Amino acid sequence: DAGVTQSPTHLIKTRGQQVTLRCSPKSGHDTVSWYQQALGQGPQFIFQYYEEEERQRGNFPDRFSGHQYPNYSSELNVNALLLGDSALYLCASSLVGLTQYFGPGTRLTVL
Amino acid sequence: SQELEQSPQSLIVQEGKNLTINCTSSKTLYGLYWYKQKYGEGLIFLMMLQKGGEEKSHEKITAKLDEKKQQSSLHITASQPSHAGIYLCGAAMNRDDKIIFGKGTRLHILP
């Protein structure tokens, strides 16, 4: 049984560009949450998707958007990249109301 | 707003020694999670505590939640090099809620 998978593993972009990160949830899970983890910090909640709708959102600007597909996979899009967007982006999946399981993350570097 | 304090920030212990990591919330929790993270990688789920006074164990790791559901401790017995990494506590205030994380405790094990 595959766990949560994320792609790509690493990504380098320049300021102003746009990026799309992808996440495939653990089999049987219907909820996907995205987190941003800056160096030396704990993960910060970006948003959560359930039934293809954004159900909760953390304190992130509108430059951060997402999508969930009918097969429960999800994308995180970030527009107009800033240097401060450099971080490890983590996807977590869960069956609604239960424990969140995390993927390996995507390391985004903005130059 | 909800805050989660972890202590200590960093811990260096001799292999074979016991250690404890603490996590304190400013508010009563719905659930308290413990995750482990290898540097730059995804989070590995360890345990979730929900009931006041609850205690769970997995191999040599034991986690407890106090009666008021505002404090938790993670205890490792007879530490091994494989225990090294970052330990993160996370809190959910409601069912289906986002997880708010502490900044983590960096554990180093000396051979």
Side-chain angles (χ1 to χ4, degrees), chain B residues 9-79:
Chain B
Q9 289 185 343
S10 181
L11 198 51
I12 303 173
V13 300
Q14 199 75 41
E15 183 178 352
K17 297 295 186 182
N18 303 335
L19 63 105
T20 299
I21 299 169
N22 295 299
C23 180
T24 301
S25 167
S26 57
K27 299 180 181 179
T28 300
L29 311 168
Y30 168 80
L32 188 288
Y33 297 85
W34 284 100
Y35 289 89
K36 179 186 175 185
Q37 184 178 31
K38 290 289 190 183
Y39 295 99
E41 298 181 7
L43 278 61
I44 300 167
F45 172 71
L46 295 175
M47 280 172 274
M48 186 220 182
L49 305 165
Q50 266 189 290
K51 299 176 183 177
E54 187 174 14
E55 179 176 321
K56 288 187 177 179
S57 293
H58 175 67
E59 297 179 345
K60 294 186 177 181
I61 301 177
T62 301
K64 301 177 185 179
L65 182 63
D66 75 331
E67 291 290 343
K68 290 185 177 179
K69 296 175 62 175
Q70 287 187 271
Q71 286 190 320
S72 179
S73 61
L74 183 85
H75 185 77
I76 298 178
T77 303
S79 58

Side-chain angles (χ1 to χ4, degrees), chain A residues 35 37 40 45 56 97 100 103, chain B residues 35 37 42 96-97 99 106:
Chain A
Y35 293 81
Q37 187 178 25
F45 175 76
Q56 295 184 68
Q100 294 185 24
Chain B
Y35 289 89
Q37 184 178 31
D96 301 338
D97 203 5
I99 299 177
R106 283 143 189 82

Side-chain angles (χ1 to χ4, degrees), chain B residues 75-99:
Chain B
H75 185 77
I76 298 178
T77 303
S79 58
Q80 301 169 349
S82 60
H83 289 130
I86 303 169
Y87 288 82
L88 290 155
C89 70
M93 306 310 294
N94 299 292
R95 183 179 181 272
D96 301 338
D97 203 5
K98 61 184 180 290
I99 299 177

